[in-house]
Amino acid sequence: MSDEFGELLGDCVHCGFCLPTCPTYVLWGEEMDSPRGRIHLMAQHHEGTPLTPEMAGHFDACLGCLACVSSCPSGVRYDRLIDETRAEVERVHPRTRSERALREAVFALFPYPRRLRAVRGPLRLYQASGLGRVVQPVLARLSPALAAMERLAPPLGRATRLPERVAARGDRRAVVGMLTGCVQREFFPQVNSATARVLALEGCDVVIPKGQGCCGALSLHSGRADEAKAFARATIEAFEQVDTIVVNSAGCGSAMKEYAQLFADEPEWADRAAALSARTRDFTEFLAELGPQAERHPLELTAAYHDACHLAHGQGVRAQPRALLRGIPGLEIREIADPDVCCGSAGTYNLFQPEAAAELGDRKAEQVAATRAELLIAANPGCTAQIAAALARGGAPMAVAHPAQVLDASLRGLGPAHLVSHRHHVANATVR
């Protein structure tokens, strides 16, 4: 591990301000499952203590939600520390055969849109068959991870594909590239369609590179740095010709803004990576900077806004989505209690740590339900799937939408029924 790593460890003064915002500490109250406890373990290993299975377990239990980064008065870069520690765990910690098999299966599937697309057909048939009630209890006994995959998969509608360019409506104000993502593209394509429409209605030519693939977020945040770099290089090349890249998935946007650090030690890529990081904007961040142009039609609706961790903590984007949503006439935004505590999705966390993720999901679902809102708004596909599943499990299903879908409904005058009569898996609309 690097010398810089050791210097970063020294920034922690073990004050405890991170404890109330750490999801695993909130659940279990265990010091070694808090940020400062994990930093203590990191320091032990950095000073020569072998990485034990117990230490690896505490690092694996971390969601990487970055709430501790936001709450730390000393500016400890826990994000950097946990990323490097995860890479060290992957290098030296011997996992069981079943753990290796699960991880290889996840990383052989989810970062590859074409492979996800191949899964869509069989999954739609399975969902239509109604076998879930029979299969879910069996999976829960055989493999909690497989049970989590089955439970979290959103019901799928008709697949649509976006064109390579969507023209601005009216005067062109900007030209932007749009990341379509992996899970977002194949399991929530209606979000991408809405994103492209809203950008076009706000005067943007939207360039959607055909050859784009995974941005590397899942790999980067799971200690698979070489794999993440390969995906990142392809993403840099795909978007090198556009001035601004708009991203509608919080985890992806956070990862792309980390490219500068990821390639800091590679001179041949460092400048290109830094340039892309500087040009990356979250969807709501970009629209807030651009300013409104298209008319907002009323949406008489109550909505709870969920702060996705990699948007609020990873990118510092909190005010912009709220400001955009409050600019819609008739839309009432309600805040959720303990917004800094993760919902339990955290990329692949709900697959690798399904029990802890389910506890956090149920906790978040109770807080969402307590708002008595008609709609939940979330800006990350993992959060959408996680909270929707938890709400349904708790007997309080709620419509879920991305900020792009809410803005799309307002700009097109579709009315609140378009949002609340559909779940987060609403049939995909085309860009027109």
Side-chain angles (χ1 to χ4, degrees), residues 200-244:
L201 287 166
E202 290 288 16
C204 300
D205 275 358
V206 186
V207 179
I208 307 170
K210 187 176 181 180
Q212 65 175 294
C214 178
C215 68
L218 291 181
S219 303
L220 177 62
H221 298 144
S222 299
R224 303 166 71 98
D226 290 341
E227 186 175 84
K229 285 183 176 182
F231 288 130
R233 290 186 189 100
T235 302
I236 292 168
E237 290 175 337
F239 286 97
E240 212 144 26
Q241 302 306 312
V242 292
D243 291 335
T244 302

Side-chain angles (χ1 to χ4, degrees), residues 80-429:
R80 301 265 300 278
L81 292 171
I82 192 62
D83 280 351
E84 191 161 338
T85 299
R86 289 200 196 285
E88 176 74 357
V89 170
E90 293 306 304
R91 281 193 296 268
V92 305
H93 175 57
R95 297 195 181 277
T96 65
R97 182 178 298 177
S98 60
E99 286 177 328
R100 290 198 306 271
L102 173 62
R103 287 173 179 270
E104 290 309 312
V106 166
F107 290 105
L109 174 63
F110 286 97
Y112 297 93
R114 289 185 181 179
R115 297 176 191 178
L116 287 174
R117 191 177 312 159
V119 171
R120 281 183 56 93
L123 182 56
R124 286 187 70 189
L125 290 174
Y126 166 76
Q127 291 173 342
S129 73
L131 289 173
R133 292 182 180 180
V134 177
V135 172
Q136 178 60 222
V138 176
L139 285 178
R141 289 194 298 272
L142 295 176
S143 169
L146 290 177
M149 286 189 198
E150 193 274 347
R151 185 173 60 249
L152 291 166
L156 299 175
R158 178 174 55 88
T160 59
R161 298 288 171 257
L162 294 171
E164 292 186 57
R165 193 177 190 94
V166 178
R169 300 292 183 90
D171 294 336
R172 185 174 68 189
R173 305 165 71 198
V175 179
V176 301
M178 177 180 151
L179 184 83
T180 52
C182 302
V183 172
Q184 192 86 291
R185 183 192 311 186
E186 299 304 328
F187 284 0
F188 299 94
Q190 67 274 12
V191 174
N192 282 341
S193 296
T195 299
R197 278 195 298 268
V198 170
L199 289 170
L201 287 166
E202 290 288 16
C204 300
D205 275 358
V206 186
V207 179
I208 307 170
K210 187 176 181 180
Q212 65 175 294
C214 178
C215 68
L218 291 181
S219 303
L220 177 62
H221 298 144
S222 299
R224 303 166 71 98
D226 290 341
E227 186 175 84
K229 285 183 176 182
F231 288 130
R233 290 186 189 100
T235 302
I236 292 168
E237 290 175 337
F239 286 97
E240 212 144 26
Q241 302 306 312
V242 292
D243 291 335
T244 302
I245 304 100
V246 174
V247 185
N248 60 18
S249 170
C252 298
S254 179
M256 290 169 68
K257 290 178 180 181
E258 292 178 54
Y259 282 0
Q261 177 60 38
L262 183 64
F263 289 102
D265 295 330
E266 296 190 19
E268 67 275 24
W269 282 94
D271 289 345
R272 297 169 72 182
L276 183 130
S277 291
R279 302 198 317 274
T280 298
R281 295 289 186 277
D282 177 71
F283 168 77
T284 61
E285 182 183 25
F286 172 76
L287 287 182
E289 292 173 358
L290 184 66
Q293 171 180 273
E295 180 184 359
R296 270 72 171 150
H297 300 282
L299 286 175
E300 299 294 338
L301 191 62
T302 57
Y305 177 76
H306 165 70
D307 279 298
C309 292
H310 276 90
L311 189 59
H313 305 306
Q315 302 181 60
V317 176
R318 296 173 182 266
Q320 297 93 323
R322 288 173 168 83
L324 287 169
L325 294 167
R326 288 185 173 126
I328 298 174
L331 181 64
E332 178 189 339
I333 300 299
R334 296 180 178 177
E335 296 295 336
I336 301 168
D338 293 336
D340 288 337
V341 178
C342 184
C343 69
S345 173
T348 55
Y349 190 85
N350 50 10
L351 304 180
F352 296 149
Q353 305 283 335
E355 293 88 356
E359 284 189 68
L360 289 167
D362 290 342
R363 185 179 187 276
K364 184 66 70 175
E366 289 177 7
Q367 293 166 333
V368 170
T371 67
R372 303 183 69 83
E374 300 165 89
L375 177 72
L376 173 65
I377 303 175
N380 194 60
C383 300
T384 297
Q386 172 80 352
I387 303 175
L391 285 164
R393 188 165 62 247
M398 182 184 294
V400 186
H402 189 280
Q405 293 174 282
V406 180
L407 282 165
D408 181 48
S410 174
L411 297 188
R412 295 200 289 157
L414 300 179
H418 178 77
L419 296 168
V420 298
S421 63
H422 295 62
R423 294 296 179 233
H424 65 277
H425 54 271
V426 349
N428 308 321

